[in-house]
Amino acid sequence: MGEKTVTVSVRGILLAVVVALALLSAYLVGNAGNGGSPAQAAAPVAPADDAHPRTLTMAGTGEGTAVPDQLSFDLAVGLMRPDLDTALSDASRVMDRVLASLEDLGVAKGDVQTTGLSMYPVYDYHQYSPPTIRGYRVTQRASVLVKELEQGGRAVSTAVATGGNAVRVSNIRLRVGDPDAAMKKARDAAVAEARTKAEQYAAAAGRELGDVVTLREVSAPRRADVAEGYLLQNGRGVMDLAAAKPMPIRTGKDRLTVTVRVVWQLG
């Protein structure tokens, strides 16, 4: 009787263990179907670099050269007369004569722009009495563009010779009539320089240069000075150009530079 009891108890224990293992297996399988264990939930994800590709940013500077083919200068006619009306009319007549002489040289009316008019009284000052008005000074100003450079020197000399002591010429500048061709060369050179440096850095890092993401011009075109502005005066004994030959002009070269910033993808 005792042996049967022991045998039944052992069988009961074994049965309970089998049932417990079965229940545990079912629990684990169920959790796996519902998202897995915490260890399984922490499965590795794609690197952040796959969602945000690496980029390489590089700047480049290019330069283009052009020979100036135009000339510009500022023109001023100044006169003093006893009364304001006479000063205004006389200054206008002198300016008209000067502009007519420039038009005879081929300077179009559209290439002359009025830039200013000033009028003010001129006083005589006395030691023991109030100042008295001696007259009025009137100055008319205009900017002139000579599109044919070979006429530039002659235009300056003609303007001074025509206006006499009343004329002042200043701010003489050489210009490039069509700077687009030089700017194209400068931009092409800037992008080429940026690409060469970017390819070098990409190769050093063991990567390949991919597509361009952005390209931006970061500096405005800068023109190098090719002619200093200067003043020609014949009214105060500085220079008498009434019978002078055309002013000689040396064009030199006009340099235009541009800087770009380019962003590439890294393959």
Side-chain angles (χ1 to χ4, degrees):
M1 184 71 177
E3 293 180 357
K4 290 182 179 181
T5 303
V6 171
T7 300
V8 171
S9 298
V10 171
R11 287 178 179 177
I13 292 172
L14 292 175
L15 180 61
V17 169
V18 171
V19 172
L21 290 174
L23 291 175
L24 179 60
S25 299
Y27 173 77
L28 293 176
V29 171
N31 280 347
N34 292 328
S37 65
Q40 292 171 328
V45 298
D49 285 348
D50 291 345
H52 304 283
R54 293 172 179 167
T55 60
L56 174 64
T57 302
M58 194 59 58
T61 300
E63 181 178 287
T65 59
V67 177
D69 55 358
Q70 297 179 354
L71 181 142
S72 66
F73 61 89
D74 292 338
L75 178 66
V77 172
L79 290 173
M80 190 185 73
R81 296 291 186 265
D83 60 89
L84 182 58
D85 290 341
T86 303
L88 283 170
S89 60
D90 287 355
S92 296
R93 278 196 294 268
V94 173
M95 180 65 82
D96 289 341
R97 287 202 310 269
V98 172
L99 297 183
S101 67
L102 293 176
E103 190 174 351
D104 291 339
L105 291 178
V107 178
K109 291 183 178 179
D111 295 329
V112 178
Q113 182 179 25
T114 299
T115 57
L117 171 65
S118 62
M119 302 171 287
Y120 59 90
V122 179
Y123 291 92
D124 284 330
Y125 294 90
H126 310 284
Q127 186 174 4
Y128 301 106
S129 60
T132 57
I133 293 180
R134 190 201 315 175
Y136 292 85
R137 176 169 291 279
V138 171
T139 302
Q140 295 186 14
R141 297 179 180 85
S143 63
V144 180
L145 173 63
V146 184
K147 291 185 176 179
E148 300 295 333
L149 184 59
E150 59 270 17
Q151 295 291 343
R154 187 177 298 277
V156 172
S157 300
T158 299
V160 177
T162 302
N165 294 340
V167 171
R168 302 291 183 270
V169 174
S170 63
N171 197 28
I172 298 175
R173 296 291 182 194
L174 297 176
R175 299 163 57 100
V176 177
D178 183 15
D180 290 341
M183 284 308 306
K184 182 180 184 302
K185 293 179 181 179
R187 291 187 176 107
D188 289 344
V191 174
E193 181 184 272
R195 175 175 288 278
T196 298
K197 293 191 293 186
E199 289 174 346
Q200 181 180 358
Y201 280 108
R207 307 295 292 268
E208 292 183 357
L209 203 62
D211 296 332
V212 173
V213 178
T214 60
L215 190 156
R216 185 165 60 96
E217 193 171 290
V218 297
S219 71
R222 184 177 71 255
R223 291 184 53 182
D225 289 336
V226 296
E228 295 294 335
Y230 53 92
L231 179 66
L232 299 178
Q233 290 183 311
N234 69 330
R236 297 172 182 256
V238 177
M239 187 175 294
D240 186 2
L241 295 181
K245 295 180 181 179
M247 183 187 70
I249 295 175
R250 296 180 181 178
T251 59
K253 291 183 179 180
D254 200 355
R255 296 184 301 275
L256 304 124
T257 61
V258 64
T259 300
V260 297
R261 188 181 304 277
V262 189
V263 179
W264 281 274
Q265 288 183 346
L266 282 177

